[in-house]
Amino acid sequence: MDHSRAPILEAMLEFRRRGDVVYTPPGHKQGRGADPRVIEVLGREAFLSDVLTTGGLDDRTSSHGYLQHAQELMADAVHADTAFFSTAGSSLSVKTAMISVAGPGEKLLIARNIHKSVVSGLLLAGIEPVWIEPAWDLDLELAHPPSLEAIERALDEHPDAKGLLTLGPTDYGVAGDLPAIVAACHRHDKPIIVDEAWGAHLPFHEGLPVWGMDAGADVVVTSVHKAGSAFEQSSVFHLKGDRVDAAVLKQREDLLSTTSTSSLIYAALDGWRRQMVEHGHELIDAALGHAQTVRDGINGIDGLHAWTVDELLARPGVAEVDPYHVLVEVGDLGVTGYQALDWLRAEHGIGLGLSDHRRVEALITHGDDDSTVQRLVEALMDLSRRHGEIERSPRVEIPSPEHLALETVMLPRDAFFGPTESVPADEAPGRIAAELATPYPPGVPVLVPGDLITKEAVEYLRSGLAAGMQLPDPASSSLDTIKVVAHS
């Protein structure tokens, strides 16, 4: 296929060249009606390109097939049979994949350290989760993707499960043995969905973890806004083989997605694919070099440690590592990751996406250069020098793995939508959760509706809040109360 083409971007240019005047949404009419103060910030170009795809860029029947052509080019570029663009992020894409494989009351094997959007899918569809415990790393106090052995055990114990949903590189950049896991699922004739939200760049360089389509997965979900060059909410889900019907996948997407899709997001996805096919390898080469420079710089700073790829590969359950994720231990400075993140933003204008009780993480991509690398390392040097100015934080009570492996005793949908009541947090242990509790980022749920709440889980969440953890889901933002299933 001709990957120098970008059908949606080309259609945008042609739309502007023609000078069409449209009497459809969006009401700003290519910026003519937009507030000048908004244009001053966003620029007129964004409004000029914000046009309907059907009845705008294309005609009312989409006879030119711009979107279809762009999706076919994407599929070819990443070795998929079919690709679907999504303008509502991978949160929608992963739910689409889930309800294409399992329906109400049916079982789906799911890695417990999945993103909260998966729980939303369970609540909407009434799917019964069969949780597969992650590989717990006691020293790092982290959960890595489930092991091959854990997945094989679940496949043997639940032959009626409709398939498996697992994750590729986690928010921390580590991955399991995906080719072996795919092979195990296919031996049981089960489809596998891989949430590779952080992995849009993986198909374009051999120095990265294996890409899900190359591992033979049936459906792979990516968030191109994370490590790619597309706008926020840009996602693609990819299909290979016939274990999941492409027509079913498209119909399920139609249930969830908007009919007012964003031409801006489609165009950015289209352009990202062209950029990666033409220049991806060299761009990723440079990004990997910058990531290594960051690690080397950090590892010369007192009180900080950036985990190297080799060190992470030696951890239990870790088969591959994405070097884009630079994981930095700050605990020896006597501060939490939450505090370090807030301090770096306030003192140096440095934004980091992930923090926890002892770490921060910087995502280095092809968008970085020598100046951004230097600025980050210098800011961390200053943190090392001035950490004594930061007030000491309360300790986060990290429970042992068995106390985080909560038992789901009720269908999540029934617990969430059924009769509920709010009880004081110290009375919640022993009750059934009726709401989510998800430290964010990374967005991995601790409490899922239907879980039997434990004292240790409550202590972890409340001590985390006191130390600076974000917990956006519960009705009580302070977690003074927890919503539980009402007694019948």
Side-chain angles (χ1 to χ4, degrees), residues 115-140:
H115 190 263
K116 61 182 285 187
S117 57
V118 172
V119 178
S120 300
L122 298 176
L123 301 180
L124 291 170
I127 294 169
E128 179 183 348
V130 176
W131 299 115
I132 304 177
E133 291 307 314
W136 296 101
D137 190 324
L138 295 177
D139 292 335
L140 267 64

Side-chain angles (χ1 to χ4, degrees), residues 271-284:
W272 151 256
R273 180 270 315 156
R274 180 173 63 181
Q275 180 188 32
M276 284 295 103
V277 171
E278 293 182 343
H279 307 293
H281 197 276
E282 63 195 81
L283 290 171
I284 294 170

Side-chain angles (χ1 to χ4, degrees), residues 26-83:
H28 59 70
K29 301 300 179 80
Q30 283 67 66
R32 291 188 297 274
D35 187 325
R37 294 168 296 182
V38 177
I39 290 177
E40 184 180 2
V41 176
L42 299 183
R44 188 169 296 277
E45 293 294 313
F47 288 96
L48 287 172
S49 300
D50 185 28
V51 59
L52 293 177
T53 51
T54 300
L57 296 181
D58 211 335
D59 59 32
R60 70 178 181 85
T61 62
S62 297
S63 64
H64 294 288
Y66 299 129
L67 175 60
Q68 181 61 32
H69 187 193
Q71 291 179 149
E72 289 170 355
L73 284 164
M74 179 68 81
D76 182 68
V78 302
H79 323 131
D81 293 342
T82 313

Side-chain angles (χ1 to χ4, degrees), residues 405-429:
L406 304 189
E407 181 184 5
T408 300
V409 296
M410 189 174 184
L411 196 68
R413 182 175 65 177
D414 292 346
F416 185 81
F417 288 110
T420 66
E421 59 183 339
S422 292
V423 300
D426 58 4
E427 295 178 16

Side-chain angles (χ1 to χ4, degrees), residues 363-434:
L363 182 69
I364 305 299
T365 75
H366 65 289
D368 283 290
D369 56 28
D370 291 343
S371 67
T372 65
V373 166
Q374 181 180 3
R375 182 168 172 178
L376 175 59
V377 173
E378 288 177 352
L380 288 166
M381 285 180 180
D382 196 32
L383 173 66
S384 173
R385 287 191 295 264
R386 298 172 54 195
H387 64 88
E389 301 171 11
I390 303 174
E391 184 179 350
R392 291 299 165 263
S393 171
R395 183 174 181 274
V396 181
E397 299 295 334
I398 305 293
S400 57
E402 65 270 18
H403 291 125
L404 277 177
L406 304 189
E407 181 184 5
T408 300
V409 296
M410 189 174 184
L411 196 68
R413 182 175 65 177
D414 292 346
F416 185 81
F417 288 110
T420 66
E421 59 183 339
S422 292
V423 300
D426 58 4
E427 295 178 16
R431 301 291 298 273
I432 301 173

Side-chain angles (χ1 to χ4, degrees), residues 90-112:
S90 290
S91 293
L92 179 140
S93 300
V94 76
K95 287 192 277 285
T96 296
M98 290 171 66
I99 65 175
S100 299
V101 170
E106 294 180 329
K107 291 181 180 178
L108 185 63
L109 306 177
I110 304 175
R112 177 71 197 213

Side-chain angles (χ1 to χ4, degrees), residues 28-375:
H28 59 70
K29 301 300 179 80
Q30 283 67 66
R32 291 188 297 274
D35 187 325
R37 294 168 296 182
V38 177
I39 290 177
E40 184 180 2
V41 176
L42 299 183
R44 188 169 296 277
E45 293 294 313
F47 288 96
L48 287 172
S49 300
D50 185 28
V51 59
L52 293 177
T53 51
T54 300
L57 296 181
D58 211 335
D59 59 32
R60 70 178 181 85
T61 62
S62 297
S63 64
H64 294 288
Y66 299 129
L67 175 60
Q68 181 61 32
H69 187 193
Q71 291 179 149
E72 289 170 355
L73 284 164
M74 179 68 81
D76 182 68
V78 302
H79 323 131
D81 293 342
T82 313
F84 301 89
F85 289 2
S86 168
T87 64
S90 290
S91 293
L92 179 140
S93 300
V94 76
K95 287 192 277 285
T96 296
M98 290 171 66
I99 65 175
S100 299
V101 170
E106 294 180 329
K107 291 181 180 178
L108 185 63
L109 306 177
I110 304 175
R112 177 71 197 213
N113 54 331
I114 42 72
H115 190 263
K116 61 182 285 187
S117 57
V118 172
V119 178
S120 300
L122 298 176
L123 301 180
L124 291 170
I127 294 169
E128 179 183 348
V130 176
W131 299 115
I132 304 177
E133 291 307 314
W136 296 101
D137 190 324
L138 295 177
D139 292 335
L140 267 64
E141 298 173 313
L142 278 182
H144 304 314
S147 66
L148 171 63
E149 293 73 22
I151 288 170
E152 287 182 321
R153 187 162 55 249
L155 288 165
D156 289 336
E157 292 174 357
H158 299 276
D160 54 340
K162 294 297 181 180
L164 168 69
L165 169 57
T166 190
L167 61 165
T170 66
D171 300 69
Y172 293 91
V174 301
D177 187 351
L178 187 58
I181 290 168
V182 170
C185 285
H186 289 174
R187 282 196 300 273
H188 288 77
D189 197 26
K190 305 291 185 185
I192 174 172
I193 303 164
V194 184
D195 181 355
E196 266 186 347
W198 292 95
H201 56 311
L202 300 185
F204 303 107
H205 199 285
E206 70 283 353
L208 298 169
V210 65
W211 162 237
M213 289 281 94
D214 291 338
D218 300 278
V219 181
V220 177
V221 171
T222 59
S223 292
V224 183
H225 62 269
K226 283 186 165 67
S229 295
F231 292 122
E232 286 293 313
Q233 296 183 215
S234 301
S235 174
V236 185
F237 51 102
H238 315 77
L239 176 67
K240 178 176 277 190
D242 57 5
R243 288 183 178 84
V244 179
D245 189 316
V248 169
L249 197 61
K250 183 66 177 74
Q251 289 173 343
R252 298 300 188 268
E253 183 207 15
D254 287 344
L255 287 176
L256 300 174
S257 65
T258 177
T259 56
S260 303
T261 52
S262 169
S263 58
L264 291 169
I265 291 178
Y266 283 164
L269 288 168
D270 198 20
W272 151 256
R273 180 270 315 156
R274 180 173 63 181
Q275 180 188 32
M276 284 295 103
V277 171
E278 293 182 343
H279 307 293
H281 197 276
E282 63 195 81
L283 290 171
I284 294 170
D285 262 346
L288 295 175
H290 286 130
Q292 187 59 47
T293 299
V294 170
R295 284 186 176 85
D296 291 343
I298 292 170
N299 285 333
I301 301 173
D302 289 343
L304 299 179
H305 178 70
W307 285 88
T308 68
V309 171
D310 287 343
E311 286 172 334
L312 288 170
L313 285 172
R315 305 308 305 169
V318 177
E320 295 190 283
V321 174
D322 180 359
Y324 272 29
H325 298 252
V326 178
L327 193 60
V328 185
E329 297 280 349
V330 299
D332 285 350
L333 298 179
V335 300
T336 66
Y338 313 124
Q339 292 175 302
L341 183 147
D342 292 344
W343 188 91
L344 288 165
R345 183 180 181 88
E347 297 294 323
H348 287 273
I350 294 290
L352 298 175
L354 188 150
S355 62
D356 62 22
H357 63 291
R358 52 182 271 192
R359 285 169 288 257
V360 295
E361 183 188 79
L363 182 69
I364 305 299
T365 75
H366 65 289
D368 283 290
D369 56 28
D370 291 343
S371 67
T372 65
V373 166
Q374 181 180 3
R375 182 168 172 178

